[in-house]
Amino acid sequence: MTQVVAELESGTGTGAEDGAESVVALQTLDSANTPGAPFAPNEKQAAAIGLLAGFAIGVALAFTRATLDRRLRSAEDVEREFDIPVVGALPFDESVAKMGPVRATSDFAMKEAVRQLRTNLMFLDVDNPPRVIVVTSSLPGDGKSTVSYKLAEAIAESGTNVVLIDADLRRPTLATNLGLPDGAGLTDVLVGRVRAEEVLQPYGPTDNLYVMAAGVIPPNPSELLGSGAMRTLLYSFPEDAIVLVDTPPLIPVTDAAILTARTDGAVVVARAGRTTIDVLDKALQAFDRVNGRALGVILDAVPRKGAHKDKYAYAYDYEYADPKAPRRDRTPSTPRRRHRRRSSPPRAGIASSPRRSRSTVHGADGERRRHTSSGVDAARSGGRSRARDGGN
């Protein structure tokens, strides 16, 4: 390299003319220094770019997932998509999921939610309140049987007679969950083998709740539930009694839709975070095909925490004075109430779709009926007579 530079500067290189001056001159501008640190990769710059790119990708994925999510998570989601009211929202109760509705000890939130459901149902139609109500769901596992029992228990606690009928003639579970014998029940009454008061079983401490098991599983459940004997049975109880009918889900079979057309209406249990818009819409279409009346939707297993929890949460604290305390502290303090309300804009997690309208036309079978037979009274008197005979 040194030789080449010298030839260029002196003009003695190959092809140079004798005596010609070189027009090329090389000058050292700066000396090469050994770098103290590598110039690549730039770790700080790469980390910053990675954080920004990860944040942008995460936001995009979250927005895409929320947009494509069709699950119903709150009462606002149901009322925004369907022209049907949400008559109740029951919180998720882990004890019910583990031990069942009977052995589980419900907390205040669950009890208050069931009471609100009971009140909302009684005031759906003040002039003609529903008396025979079908409780169903879209698919199995949404909690309709648990809701049926909880609602019947709450109505009985209010002092009203209530008859809970297990009309799920395909997979009956009500009598088993309540610990009641299921040898004879609804099917035996429909075929005329026994009378209703003979298979009504008192349940609970209120003396107002009566349970009718499903009985023997028949080969033709839909025909039995749609028969005239079934309609006569449902309206044979006293007018002051509420009849709750636990039926199979709407989408797999047509039993619930058939019964809804012959009663005062039905409530559909939807599980929060599981039931989708399309599934609930398909279930409600079953009512339209038979001119049945959908009274409302019951949202079950609503999260207690997180972004989709119920907007209202209640807590009550009661303090009582110590008898040994000074006189100024003996007066019971005023109950303190903490009322927490979470208000948030409508969730953007459900893709917008045209609002679906629901018809609430009352068919001829949906009118209130008046019957004078007293199956509940007969069952109650029969139970008391058996108790007196046993005591003697």
Side-chain angles (χ1 to χ4, degrees):
M1 181 66 183
T2 304
Q3 183 180 356
V4 173
V5 171
E7 292 177 356
L8 291 175
E9 291 181 343
S10 61
T12 58
T14 304
E17 297 180 359
D18 296 339
E21 295 184 359
S22 175
V23 296
V24 178
L26 298 179
Q27 181 180 359
T28 303
L29 300 179
D30 194 5
S31 60
N33 296 325
T34 303
F39 73 96
N42 191 336
E43 296 180 355
K44 294 182 179 180
Q45 182 181 8
I49 295 176
L51 288 176
L52 292 176
F55 178 76
I57 294 174
V59 171
L61 289 177
F63 181 78
T64 303
R65 180 180 178 182
T67 303
L68 299 178
D69 189 5
R70 305 280 292 175
R71 290 175 292 181
L72 299 167
R73 300 182 181 273
S74 64
E76 289 78 7
D77 296 342
V78 178
E79 293 178 346
R80 181 171 58 247
E81 295 293 332
F82 303 94
D83 188 16
I84 186 173
V86 176
V87 295
L90 306 184
F92 176 76
D93 195 337
E94 188 175 358
S95 61
V96 174
K98 291 182 178 180
M99 298 182 294
V102 178
R103 293 186 297 171
T105 302
S106 300
D107 56 3
F108 175 81
M110 173 62 78
K111 293 180 180 178
E112 186 64 21
V114 177
R115 294 190 190 104
Q116 291 178 357
L117 169 61
R118 175 193 65 193
T119 303
N120 293 338
L121 283 178
M122 296 302 102
F123 285 90
L124 276 176
D125 190 347
V126 179
D127 297 330
N128 188 20
R131 189 167 67 88
V132 181
I133 303 173
V134 171
V135 182
T136 184
S137 62
S138 303
L139 295 172
D142 290 340
K144 62 176 181 60
S145 297
T146 301
V147 172
S148 300
Y149 167 70
K150 289 288 186 182
L151 178 58
E153 185 181 38
I155 296 175
E157 290 176 353
S158 67
T160 303
N161 291 328
V162 55
V163 178
L164 180 58
I165 300 178
D166 189 355
D168 190 347
L169 303 183
R170 301 174 188 272
R171 296 176 58 184
T173 59
L174 196 58
T176 303
N177 293 337
L178 300 182
L180 298 175
D182 56 354
L186 176 61
T187 55
D188 300 277
V189 176
L190 295 180
V191 299
R193 190 176 303 161
V194 295
R195 294 180 299 174
E197 55 268 20
E198 295 176 351
V199 295
L200 282 176
Q201 305 180 58
Y203 188 84
T206 61
D207 197 26
N208 296 323
L209 174 59
Y210 297 85
V211 179
M212 181 180 292
V216 181
I217 299 179
N220 54 342
S222 298
E223 287 73 11
L224 278 180
L225 296 178
S227 63
M230 182 65 181
R231 186 175 67 177
T232 302
L233 171 66
L234 294 176
Y235 287 93
S236 65
F237 300 104
E239 290 189 1
D240 60 349
I242 302 296
V243 181
L244 299 179
V245 188
D246 183 21
T247 63
L250 283 163
I251 293 180
V253 292
T254 61
D255 301 1
I258 293 174
L259 272 178
T260 303
R262 289 159 173 78
T263 58
D264 296 334
V267 290
V268 182
V269 178
R271 192 171 184 87
R274 176 182 174 179
T275 304
T276 63
I277 298 175
D278 302 323
V279 168
L280 184 58
D281 181 57
K282 186 176 181 180
L284 294 177
Q285 288 178 5
F287 295 140
D288 295 339
R289 289 192 291 266
V290 298
N291 198 24
R293 180 188 181 190
L295 298 175
V297 172
I298 301 175
L299 199 61
D300 188 27
V302 178
R304 297 174 182 252
K305 299 179 181 179
H308 304 290
K309 69 177 183 179
D310 196 6
K311 294 188 348 183
Y312 295 94
Y314 298 92
Y316 292 85
D317 288 340
Y318 292 92
E319 295 180 357
Y320 297 93
D322 186 358
K324 300 180 180 180
R327 185 176 183 83
R328 64 176 180 273
D329 296 334
R330 289 190 177 183
T331 303
S333 60
T334 304
R336 296 183 302 172
R337 174 180 176 181
R338 294 195 301 270
H339 182 192
R340 302 185 300 274
R341 177 177 179 180
R342 179 184 182 273
S343 58
S344 59
R347 184 171 70 89
I350 295 181
S352 60
S353 59
R355 189 178 182 88
R356 299 165 175 82
S357 61
R358 291 281 151 225
S359 61
T360 56
V361 179
H362 296 264
D365 294 332
E367 297 179 357
R368 185 179 178 89
R369 297 163 176 81
R370 299 181 179 272
H371 294 270
T372 58
S373 59
S374 53
V376 174
D377 295 337
R380 178 181 299 171
S381 60
R384 292 174 179 172
S385 300
R386 288 191 296 270
R388 288 195 298 267
D389 296 338
N392 294 334

